[in-house]
Each structure stands twice: as C-alpha cells, then as structure tokens.
mmCIF file of all heavy atoms in Angstrom:
data_model
loop_
_atom_site.group_PDB
_atom_site.id
_atom_site.type_symbol
_atom_site.label_atom_id
_atom_site.label_comp_id
_atom_site.label_asym_id
_atom_site.label_seq_id
_atom_site.Cartn_x
_atom_site.Cartn_y
_atom_site.Cartn_z
ATOM 1 N N VAL A 4 -20.919 -8.083 -22.338
ATOM 2 C CA VAL A 4 -20.573 -9.374 -22.025
ATOM 3 C C VAL A 4 -21.495 -10.058 -21.014
ATOM 4 O O VAL A 4 -21.892 -11.189 -21.140
ATOM 5 C CB VAL A 4 -19.109 -9.465 -21.563
ATOM 6 C CG1 VAL A 4 -18.719 -10.902 -21.037
ATOM 7 C CG2 VAL A 4 -18.047 -9.039 -22.687
ATOM 8 N N GLN A 5 -21.829 -9.270 -19.935
ATOM 9 C CA GLN A 5 -22.514 -9.842 -18.839
ATOM 10 C C GLN A 5 -23.978 -9.809 -18.930
ATOM 11 O O GLN A 5 -24.674 -10.844 -18.478
ATOM 12 C CB GLN A 5 -22.160 -9.050 -17.551
ATOM 13 C CG GLN A 5 -20.687 -9.216 -17.207
ATOM 14 C CD GLN A 5 -20.178 -8.272 -16.138
ATOM 15 O OE1 GLN A 5 -21.008 -7.742 -15.371
ATOM 16 N NE2 GLN A 5 -18.915 -7.988 -16.086
ATOM 17 N N VAL A 6 -24.617 -8.885 -19.660
ATOM 18 C CA VAL A 6 -26.126 -8.814 -19.587
ATOM 19 C C VAL A 6 -26.700 -10.088 -20.423
ATOM 20 O O VAL A 6 -27.688 -10.610 -19.933
ATOM 21 C CB VAL A 6 -26.571 -7.525 -20.402
ATOM 22 C CG1 VAL A 6 -28.080 -7.633 -20.693
ATOM 23 C CG2 VAL A 6 -26.274 -6.383 -19.458
ATOM 24 N N PRO A 7 -26.046 -10.549 -21.438
ATOM 25 C CA PRO A 7 -26.584 -11.783 -22.116
ATOM 26 C C PRO A 7 -26.697 -13.033 -21.187
ATOM 27 O O PRO A 7 -27.553 -13.778 -21.142
ATOM 28 C CB PRO A 7 -25.655 -12.040 -23.290
ATOM 29 C CG PRO A 7 -25.266 -10.643 -23.694
ATOM 30 C CD PRO A 7 -25.061 -9.957 -22.383
ATOM 31 N N PHE A 8 -25.579 -13.055 -20.319
ATOM 32 C CA PHE A 8 -25.565 -14.186 -19.322
ATOM 33 C C PHE A 8 -26.691 -14.076 -18.342
ATOM 34 O O PHE A 8 -27.286 -15.038 -17.842
ATOM 35 C CB PHE A 8 -24.293 -14.214 -18.535
ATOM 36 C CG PHE A 8 -23.057 -14.682 -19.435
ATOM 37 C CD1 PHE A 8 -21.886 -14.007 -19.439
ATOM 38 C CD2 PHE A 8 -23.212 -15.940 -20.203
ATOM 39 C CE1 PHE A 8 -20.791 -14.443 -20.282
ATOM 40 C CE2 PHE A 8 -22.130 -16.275 -21.016
ATOM 41 C CZ PHE A 8 -20.944 -15.636 -21.019
ATOM 42 N N TYR A 9 -26.998 -12.769 -17.935
ATOM 43 C CA TYR A 9 -28.121 -12.603 -17.006
ATOM 44 C C TYR A 9 -29.456 -13.018 -17.622
ATOM 45 O O TYR A 9 -30.192 -13.759 -16.959
ATOM 46 C CB TYR A 9 -28.263 -11.086 -16.706
ATOM 47 C CG TYR A 9 -29.454 -10.658 -15.984
ATOM 48 C CD1 TYR A 9 -29.593 -10.892 -14.625
ATOM 49 C CD2 TYR A 9 -30.545 -10.070 -16.630
ATOM 50 C CE1 TYR A 9 -30.758 -10.537 -13.900
ATOM 51 C CE2 TYR A 9 -31.714 -9.760 -15.948
ATOM 52 C CZ TYR A 9 -31.777 -10.062 -14.547
ATOM 53 O OH TYR A 9 -32.866 -9.672 -13.893
ATOM 54 N N PHE A 10 -29.736 -12.706 -18.838
ATOM 55 C CA PHE A 10 -31.055 -13.032 -19.492
ATOM 56 C C PHE A 10 -31.087 -14.564 -19.812
ATOM 57 O O PHE A 10 -32.113 -15.091 -19.792
ATOM 58 C CB PHE A 10 -31.271 -12.297 -20.785
ATOM 59 C CG PHE A 10 -31.609 -10.856 -20.526
ATOM 60 C CD1 PHE A 10 -30.827 -9.771 -20.821
ATOM 61 C CD2 PHE A 10 -32.947 -10.601 -19.906
ATOM 62 C CE1 PHE A 10 -31.282 -8.489 -20.589
ATOM 63 C CE2 PHE A 10 -33.304 -9.264 -19.653
ATOM 64 C CZ PHE A 10 -32.510 -8.274 -19.955
ATOM 65 N N ALA A 11 -29.822 -15.148 -19.887
ATOM 66 C CA ALA A 11 -29.865 -16.590 -20.105
ATOM 67 C C ALA A 11 -29.897 -17.377 -18.721
ATOM 68 O O ALA A 11 -30.059 -18.604 -18.821
ATOM 69 C CB ALA A 11 -28.485 -16.968 -20.800
ATOM 70 N N GLY A 12 -29.849 -16.636 -17.634
ATOM 71 C CA GLY A 12 -29.922 -17.310 -16.392
ATOM 72 C C GLY A 12 -28.676 -18.102 -16.017
ATOM 73 O O GLY A 12 -28.726 -18.982 -15.106
ATOM 74 N N ASN A 13 -27.583 -17.770 -16.618
ATOM 75 C CA ASN A 13 -26.287 -18.437 -16.431
ATOM 76 C C ASN A 13 -25.495 -17.704 -15.263
ATOM 77 O O ASN A 13 -24.789 -16.942 -15.565
ATOM 78 C CB ASN A 13 -25.497 -18.461 -17.709
ATOM 79 C CG ASN A 13 -24.371 -19.434 -17.598
ATOM 80 O OD1 ASN A 13 -23.848 -19.773 -16.553
ATOM 81 N ND2 ASN A 13 -23.921 -19.943 -18.761
ATOM 82 N N VAL A 14 -25.847 -18.048 -14.082
ATOM 83 C CA VAL A 14 -25.229 -17.406 -12.929
ATOM 84 C C VAL A 14 -23.734 -17.667 -12.833
ATOM 85 O O VAL A 14 -22.958 -16.799 -12.525
ATOM 86 C CB VAL A 14 -25.964 -17.940 -11.641
ATOM 87 C CG1 VAL A 14 -25.335 -17.290 -10.378
ATOM 88 C CG2 VAL A 14 -27.417 -17.694 -11.649
ATOM 89 N N GLU A 15 -23.357 -18.849 -13.118
ATOM 90 C CA GLU A 15 -21.877 -19.195 -13.157
ATOM 91 C C GLU A 15 -21.056 -18.293 -13.990
ATOM 92 O O GLU A 15 -20.059 -17.695 -13.672
ATOM 93 C CB GLU A 15 -21.650 -20.653 -13.339
ATOM 94 C CG GLU A 15 -22.153 -21.619 -12.271
ATOM 95 C CD GLU A 15 -23.662 -21.859 -12.368
ATOM 96 O OE1 GLU A 15 -24.261 -21.357 -13.379
ATOM 97 O OE2 GLU A 15 -24.237 -22.484 -11.478
ATOM 98 N N ALA A 16 -21.520 -18.284 -15.325
ATOM 99 C CA ALA A 16 -20.785 -17.401 -16.256
ATOM 100 C C ALA A 16 -20.877 -15.945 -15.908
ATOM 101 O O ALA A 16 -19.916 -15.191 -16.027
ATOM 102 C CB ALA A 16 -21.333 -17.624 -17.675
ATOM 103 N N LEU A 17 -22.045 -15.542 -15.419
ATOM 104 C CA LEU A 17 -22.218 -14.175 -15.056
ATOM 105 C C LEU A 17 -21.335 -13.749 -13.841
ATOM 106 O O LEU A 17 -20.679 -12.748 -13.907
ATOM 107 C CB LEU A 17 -23.725 -13.940 -14.649
ATOM 108 C CG LEU A 17 -24.105 -12.534 -14.146
ATOM 109 C CD1 LEU A 17 -23.637 -11.425 -15.091
ATOM 110 C CD2 LEU A 17 -25.572 -12.469 -13.801
ATOM 111 N N GLY A 18 -21.292 -14.567 -12.898
ATOM 112 C CA GLY A 18 -20.442 -14.347 -11.715
ATOM 113 C C GLY A 18 -18.973 -14.318 -12.073
ATOM 114 O O GLY A 18 -18.184 -13.500 -11.606
ATOM 115 N N ALA A 19 -18.508 -15.307 -12.967
ATOM 116 C CA ALA A 19 -17.223 -15.370 -13.339
ATOM 117 C C ALA A 19 -16.694 -14.116 -14.119
ATOM 118 O O ALA A 19 -15.569 -13.604 -13.879
ATOM 119 C CB ALA A 19 -16.914 -16.660 -14.095
ATOM 120 N N THR A 20 -17.511 -13.764 -15.112
ATOM 121 C CA THR A 20 -17.147 -12.640 -15.852
ATOM 122 C C THR A 20 -17.216 -11.299 -15.014
ATOM 123 O O THR A 20 -16.460 -10.427 -15.325
ATOM 124 C CB THR A 20 -18.013 -12.427 -17.116
ATOM 125 O OG1 THR A 20 -19.476 -12.527 -16.728
ATOM 126 C CG2 THR A 20 -17.857 -13.570 -18.118
ATOM 127 N N ARG A 21 -18.093 -11.264 -14.089
ATOM 128 C CA ARG A 21 -18.155 -10.071 -13.228
ATOM 129 C C ARG A 21 -16.865 -9.976 -12.410
ATOM 130 O O ARG A 21 -16.332 -8.922 -12.291
ATOM 131 C CB ARG A 21 -19.318 -10.205 -12.223
ATOM 132 C CG ARG A 21 -19.429 -9.094 -11.153
ATOM 133 C CD ARG A 21 -19.697 -7.721 -11.718
ATOM 134 N NE ARG A 21 -20.887 -7.633 -12.429
ATOM 135 C CZ ARG A 21 -22.077 -7.385 -11.880
ATOM 136 N NH1 ARG A 21 -22.167 -7.126 -10.580
ATOM 137 N NH2 ARG A 21 -23.120 -7.269 -12.646
ATOM 138 N N LEU A 22 -16.298 -11.095 -11.941
ATOM 139 C CA LEU A 22 -15.022 -11.095 -11.232
ATOM 140 C C LEU A 22 -13.842 -10.737 -12.082
ATOM 141 O O LEU A 22 -12.980 -9.911 -11.800
ATOM 142 C CB LEU A 22 -14.810 -12.395 -10.487
ATOM 143 C CG LEU A 22 -15.694 -12.704 -9.340
ATOM 144 C CD1 LEU A 22 -15.520 -14.205 -8.936
ATOM 145 C CD2 LEU A 22 -15.393 -11.843 -8.200
ATOM 146 N N LEU A 23 -13.829 -11.355 -13.285
ATOM 147 C CA LEU A 23 -12.746 -11.172 -14.257
ATOM 148 C C LEU A 23 -12.713 -9.736 -14.784
ATOM 149 O O LEU A 23 -11.611 -9.107 -15.006
ATOM 150 C CB LEU A 23 -12.762 -12.149 -15.361
ATOM 151 C CG LEU A 23 -12.501 -13.591 -14.975
ATOM 152 C CD1 LEU A 23 -12.692 -14.567 -16.136
ATOM 153 C CD2 LEU A 23 -11.033 -13.731 -14.472
ATOM 154 N N MET A 24 -13.842 -9.178 -15.057
ATOM 155 C CA MET A 24 -13.968 -7.831 -15.621
ATOM 156 C C MET A 24 -14.112 -6.769 -14.522
ATOM 157 O O MET A 24 -14.355 -5.605 -14.832
ATOM 158 C CB MET A 24 -15.185 -7.755 -16.562
ATOM 159 C CG MET A 24 -15.065 -8.714 -17.705
ATOM 160 S SD MET A 24 -16.465 -8.627 -18.885
ATOM 161 C CE MET A 24 -15.836 -7.105 -19.847
ATOM 162 N N GLY A 25 -13.856 -7.157 -13.302
ATOM 163 C CA GLY A 25 -13.871 -6.204 -12.185
ATOM 164 C C GLY A 25 -12.476 -5.602 -11.917
ATOM 165 O O GLY A 25 -11.955 -4.858 -12.635
ATOM 166 N N VAL A 26 -11.924 -6.074 -10.818
ATOM 167 C CA VAL A 26 -10.628 -5.580 -10.372
ATOM 168 C C VAL A 26 -9.564 -5.847 -11.441
ATOM 169 O O VAL A 26 -8.712 -4.918 -11.780
ATOM 170 C CB VAL A 26 -10.254 -6.129 -9.086
ATOM 171 C CG1 VAL A 26 -8.779 -5.810 -8.672
ATOM 172 C CG2 VAL A 26 -11.196 -5.695 -7.969
ATOM 173 N N PRO A 27 -9.398 -6.983 -12.030
ATOM 174 C CA PRO A 27 -8.333 -7.217 -13.060
ATOM 175 C C PRO A 27 -8.359 -6.199 -14.200
ATOM 176 O O PRO A 27 -7.325 -5.634 -14.546
ATOM 177 C CB PRO A 27 -8.538 -8.652 -13.509
ATOM 178 C CG PRO A 27 -9.201 -9.294 -12.360
ATOM 179 C CD PRO A 27 -10.099 -8.247 -11.760
ATOM 180 N N LEU A 28 -9.530 -6.100 -14.774
ATOM 181 C CA LEU A 28 -9.671 -5.029 -15.948
ATOM 182 C C LEU A 28 -9.459 -3.640 -15.461
ATOM 183 O O LEU A 28 -8.784 -2.909 -16.222
ATOM 184 C CB LEU A 28 -11.098 -5.246 -16.562
ATOM 185 C CG LEU A 28 -11.307 -4.436 -17.784
ATOM 186 C CD1 LEU A 28 -10.352 -4.790 -18.838
ATOM 187 C CD2 LEU A 28 -12.737 -4.685 -18.394
ATOM 188 N N TYR A 29 -9.922 -3.290 -14.260
ATOM 189 C CA TYR A 29 -9.693 -1.974 -13.700
ATOM 190 C C TYR A 29 -8.185 -1.786 -13.484
ATOM 191 O O TYR A 29 -7.748 -0.703 -13.824
ATOM 192 C CB TYR A 29 -10.469 -1.908 -12.368
ATOM 193 C CG TYR A 29 -10.216 -0.553 -11.661
ATOM 194 C CD1 TYR A 29 -10.688 0.586 -12.100
ATOM 195 C CD2 TYR A 29 -9.601 -0.559 -10.394
ATOM 196 C CE1 TYR A 29 -10.531 1.787 -11.429
ATOM 197 C CE2 TYR A 29 -9.415 0.598 -9.705
ATOM 198 C CZ TYR A 29 -9.864 1.767 -10.270
ATOM 199 O OH TYR A 29 -9.586 2.955 -9.518
ATOM 200 N N ALA A 30 -7.513 -2.722 -13.033
ATOM 201 C CA ALA A 30 -6.059 -2.573 -12.890
ATOM 202 C C ALA A 30 -5.323 -2.391 -14.173
ATOM 203 O O ALA A 30 -4.427 -1.511 -14.327
ATOM 204 C CB ALA A 30 -5.523 -3.861 -12.183
ATOM 205 N N LEU A 31 -5.736 -3.101 -15.228
ATOM 206 C CA LEU A 31 -5.126 -2.926 -16.526
ATOM 207 C C LEU A 31 -5.330 -1.427 -17.054
ATOM 208 O O LEU A 31 -4.421 -0.870 -17.605
ATOM 209 C CB LEU A 31 -5.682 -3.917 -17.541
ATOM 210 C CG LEU A 31 -5.210 -5.391 -17.334
ATOM 211 C CD1 LEU A 31 -5.944 -6.288 -18.338
ATOM 212 C CD2 LEU A 31 -3.703 -5.518 -17.565
ATOM 213 N N LEU A 32 -6.490 -0.946 -16.846
ATOM 214 C CA LEU A 32 -6.741 0.380 -17.299
ATOM 215 C C LEU A 32 -6.036 1.496 -16.431
ATOM 216 O O LEU A 32 -5.570 2.473 -16.986
ATOM 217 C CB LEU A 32 -8.250 0.692 -17.244
ATOM 218 C CG LEU A 32 -9.006 0.561 -18.581
ATOM 219 C CD1 LEU A 32 -8.961 -0.833 -19.132
ATOM 220 C CD2 LEU A 32 -10.407 1.095 -18.500
ATOM 221 N N LEU A 33 -5.750 1.161 -15.257
ATOM 222 C CA LEU A 33 -4.976 2.072 -14.504
ATOM 223 C C LEU A 33 -3.555 2.126 -14.973
ATOM 224 O O LEU A 33 -3.016 3.272 -15.031
ATOM 225 C CB LEU A 33 -5.018 1.564 -12.890
ATOM 226 C CG LEU A 33 -6.142 1.995 -12.120
ATOM 227 C CD1 LEU A 33 -5.951 1.502 -10.625
ATOM 228 C CD2 LEU A 33 -6.393 3.533 -12.046
ATOM 229 N N VAL A 34 -3.010 0.956 -15.300
ATOM 230 C CA VAL A 34 -1.642 0.978 -15.823
ATOM 231 C C VAL A 34 -1.606 1.690 -17.177
ATOM 232 O O VAL A 34 -0.738 2.458 -17.380
ATOM 233 C CB VAL A 34 -1.149 -0.474 -15.935
ATOM 234 C CG1 VAL A 34 0.168 -0.587 -16.723
ATOM 235 C CG2 VAL A 34 -1.037 -1.168 -14.678
ATOM 236 N N PHE A 35 -2.534 1.441 -17.983
ATOM 237 C CA PHE A 35 -2.557 2.101 -19.338
ATOM 238 C C PHE A 35 -2.792 3.630 -19.135
ATOM 239 O O PHE A 35 -2.060 4.411 -19.755
ATOM 240 C CB PHE A 35 -3.806 1.510 -20.162
ATOM 241 C CG PHE A 35 -3.930 2.286 -21.486
ATOM 242 C CD1 PHE A 35 -2.983 2.043 -22.524
ATOM 243 C CD2 PHE A 35 -4.928 3.196 -21.672
ATOM 244 C CE1 PHE A 35 -3.137 2.676 -23.703
ATOM 245 C CE2 PHE A 35 -5.112 3.871 -22.868
ATOM 246 C CZ PHE A 35 -4.157 3.572 -23.971
ATOM 247 N N SER A 36 -3.584 4.021 -18.222
ATOM 248 C CA SER A 36 -3.764 5.405 -17.931
ATOM 249 C C SER A 36 -2.451 6.076 -17.310
ATOM 250 O O SER A 36 -2.161 7.203 -17.829
ATOM 251 C CB SER A 36 -4.930 5.612 -16.935
ATOM 252 O OG SER A 36 -6.066 5.177 -17.407
ATOM 253 N N TRP A 37 -1.775 5.369 -16.546
ATOM 254 C CA TRP A 37 -0.550 5.857 -16.031
ATOM 255 C C TRP A 37 0.440 6.061 -17.123
ATOM 256 O O TRP A 37 1.142 7.062 -17.197
ATOM 257 C CB TRP A 37 0.010 4.983 -14.967
ATOM 258 C CG TRP A 37 1.363 5.391 -14.388
ATOM 259 C CD1 TRP A 37 1.581 6.293 -13.474
ATOM 260 C CD2 TRP A 37 2.598 4.889 -14.838
ATOM 261 N NE1 TRP A 37 2.964 6.447 -13.231
ATOM 262 C CE2 TRP A 37 3.621 5.555 -14.152
ATOM 263 C CE3 TRP A 37 3.053 3.935 -15.775
ATOM 264 C CZ2 TRP A 37 4.991 5.353 -14.222
ATOM 265 C CZ3 TRP A 37 4.411 3.761 -16.008
ATOM 266 C CH2 TRP A 37 5.351 4.389 -15.229
ATOM 267 N N LEU A 38 0.518 5.141 -18.075
ATOM 268 C CA LEU A 38 1.511 5.261 -19.234
ATOM 269 C C LEU A 38 1.189 6.478 -20.113
ATOM 270 O O LEU A 38 2.001 7.255 -20.373
ATOM 271 C CB LEU A 38 1.446 3.920 -20.070
ATOM 272 C CG LEU A 38 1.972 2.730 -19.426
ATOM 273 C CD1 LEU A 38 1.739 1.479 -20.284
ATOM 274 C CD2 LEU A 38 3.514 2.902 -19.179
ATOM 275 N N VAL A 39 -0.090 6.667 -20.299
ATOM 276 C CA VAL A 39 -0.516 7.830 -21.069
ATOM 277 C C VAL A 39 -0.156 9.199 -20.407
ATOM 278 O O VAL A 39 0.304 10.111 -20.980
ATOM 279 C CB VAL A 39 -1.949 7.794 -21.539
ATOM 280 C CG1 VAL A 39 -2.459 9.016 -22.201
ATOM 281 C CG2 VAL A 39 -2.254 6.524 -22.395
ATOM 282 N N VAL A 40 -0.496 9.222 -19.128
ATOM 283 C CA VAL A 40 -0.279 10.397 -18.377
ATOM 284 C C VAL A 40 1.183 10.719 -18.227
ATOM 285 O O VAL A 40 1.608 11.868 -18.444
ATOM 286 C CB VAL A 40 -0.820 10.262 -16.824
ATOM 287 C CG1 VAL A 40 -0.352 11.405 -16.024
ATOM 288 C CG2 VAL A 40 -2.387 10.229 -16.956
ATOM 289 N N ARG A 41 2.030 9.688 -18.110
ATOM 290 C CA ARG A 41 3.497 9.927 -17.991
ATOM 291 C C ARG A 41 4.028 10.451 -19.329
ATOM 292 O O ARG A 41 5.009 11.124 -19.459
ATOM 293 C CB ARG A 41 4.251 8.727 -17.561
ATOM 294 C CG ARG A 41 3.958 8.191 -16.099
ATOM 295 C CD ARG A 41 3.768 9.303 -15.127
ATOM 296 N NE ARG A 41 4.873 10.288 -15.157
ATOM 297 C CZ ARG A 41 4.806 11.379 -14.614
ATOM 298 N NH1 ARG A 41 3.750 11.825 -13.919
ATOM 299 N NH2 ARG A 41 5.719 12.290 -14.591
ATOM 300 N N ALA A 42 3.385 9.938 -20.490
ATOM 301 C CA ALA A 42 3.865 10.371 -21.765
ATOM 302 C C ALA A 42 3.453 11.848 -22.016
ATOM 303 O O ALA A 42 4.219 12.619 -22.682
ATOM 304 C CB ALA A 42 3.157 9.529 -22.871
ATOM 305 N N VAL A 43 2.349 12.315 -21.518
ATOM 306 C CA VAL A 43 1.882 13.650 -21.737
ATOM 307 C C VAL A 43 2.508 14.583 -20.788
ATOM 308 O O VAL A 43 2.783 15.727 -21.012
ATOM 309 C CB VAL A 43 0.331 13.717 -21.573
ATOM 310 C CG1 VAL A 43 -0.136 15.151 -21.757
ATOM 311 C CG2 VAL A 43 -0.291 12.896 -22.723
ATOM 312 N N TYR A 44 2.760 14.119 -19.553
ATOM 313 C CA TYR A 44 3.349 14.908 -18.448
ATOM 314 C C TYR A 44 4.577 14.277 -17.974
ATOM 315 O O TYR A 44 4.623 13.575 -16.921
ATOM 316 C CB TYR A 44 2.379 15.073 -17.205
ATOM 317 C CG TYR A 44 1.102 15.844 -17.563
ATOM 318 C CD1 TYR A 44 -0.044 15.187 -17.842
ATOM 319 C CD2 TYR A 44 1.104 17.213 -17.496
ATOM 320 C CE1 TYR A 44 -1.251 15.805 -18.126
ATOM 321 C CE2 TYR A 44 -0.079 17.928 -17.709
ATOM 322 C CZ TYR A 44 -1.243 17.240 -18.097
ATOM 323 O OH TYR A 44 -2.394 17.907 -18.377
ATOM 324 N N PRO A 45 5.630 14.280 -18.752
ATOM 325 C CA PRO A 45 6.874 13.534 -18.449
ATOM 326 C C PRO A 45 7.592 14.032 -17.241
ATOM 327 O O PRO A 45 8.352 13.284 -16.594
ATOM 328 C CB PRO A 45 7.730 13.736 -19.733
ATOM 329 C CG PRO A 45 7.278 14.996 -20.375
ATOM 330 C CD PRO A 45 5.824 15.073 -20.039
ATOM 331 N N ALA A 46 7.412 15.306 -16.793
ATOM 332 C CA ALA A 46 8.169 15.861 -15.663
ATOM 333 C C ALA A 46 7.220 15.839 -14.497
ATOM 334 O O ALA A 46 6.029 16.046 -14.611
ATOM 335 C CB ALA A 46 8.656 17.285 -15.966
ATOM 336 N N ARG A 47 7.744 15.606 -13.274
ATOM 337 C CA ARG A 47 6.978 15.481 -12.123
ATOM 338 C C ARG A 47 6.435 16.944 -11.680
ATOM 339 O O ARG A 47 5.399 17.133 -11.248
ATOM 340 C CB ARG A 47 7.802 15.012 -10.914
ATOM 341 C CG ARG A 47 7.005 15.002 -9.598
ATOM 342 C CD ARG A 47 7.919 14.581 -8.457
ATOM 343 N NE ARG A 47 8.410 13.164 -8.627
ATOM 344 C CZ ARG A 47 7.722 12.178 -8.133
ATOM 345 N NH1 ARG A 47 6.694 12.336 -7.474
ATOM 346 N NH2 ARG A 47 8.267 10.973 -8.230
ATOM 347 N N THR A 48 7.275 17.922 -11.903
ATOM 348 C CA THR A 48 6.926 19.228 -11.354
ATOM 349 C C THR A 48 6.281 20.183 -12.334
ATOM 350 O O THR A 48 5.587 21.054 -11.961
ATOM 351 C CB THR A 48 8.189 19.952 -10.911
ATOM 352 O OG1 THR A 48 9.180 19.978 -11.976
ATOM 353 C CG2 THR A 48 8.915 19.141 -9.686
ATOM 354 N N ALA A 49 6.554 19.987 -13.556
ATOM 355 C CA ALA A 49 5.976 20.868 -14.595
ATOM 356 C C ALA A 49 5.258 20.197 -15.685
ATOM 357 O O ALA A 49 5.824 19.331 -16.259
ATOM 358 C CB ALA A 49 7.072 21.824 -15.164
#
C-alpha cells in the first residue's frame, strides 16, 4: 500500500496510511491472535 505513494511523492497519503496501518492494524492482529490462542489453549494452566 505505502511504497507506491512513496514513488509518487504523495507525502500526505503515505503518512496517513503509515498511521492507519501502524498501531490500529497491529491492535487488530493482537486481538485476532488472542482469539486463536484461546481457541487452541482454552485452559489457563494446561
């Protein structure tokens, strides 16, 4: 997504997508990962 904006010299679009695909996307993946881990390891202790 971001490299084409870089080569186009579109700083505004590059900066905006960098922000949107940074912490927000990372947070979504953390939630998804937690859901998968809890499905595979349903018990806390074992």
Side-chain angles (χ1 to χ4, degrees):
V4 171
Q5 296 169 20
V6 169
F8 290 133
Y9 170 79
F10 284 112
N13 192 335
V14 178
E15 292 79 7
L17 176 56
T20 53
R21 174 66 60 89
L22 290 170
L23 291 174
M24 301 183 77
V26 172
L28 186 56
Y29 176 67
L31 286 175
L32 260 67
L33 279 182
V34 173
F35 177 73
S36 300
W37 176 83
L38 290 171
V39 173
V40 171
R41 296 320 310 164
V43 175
Y44 296 97
R47 179 187 295 271
T48 56

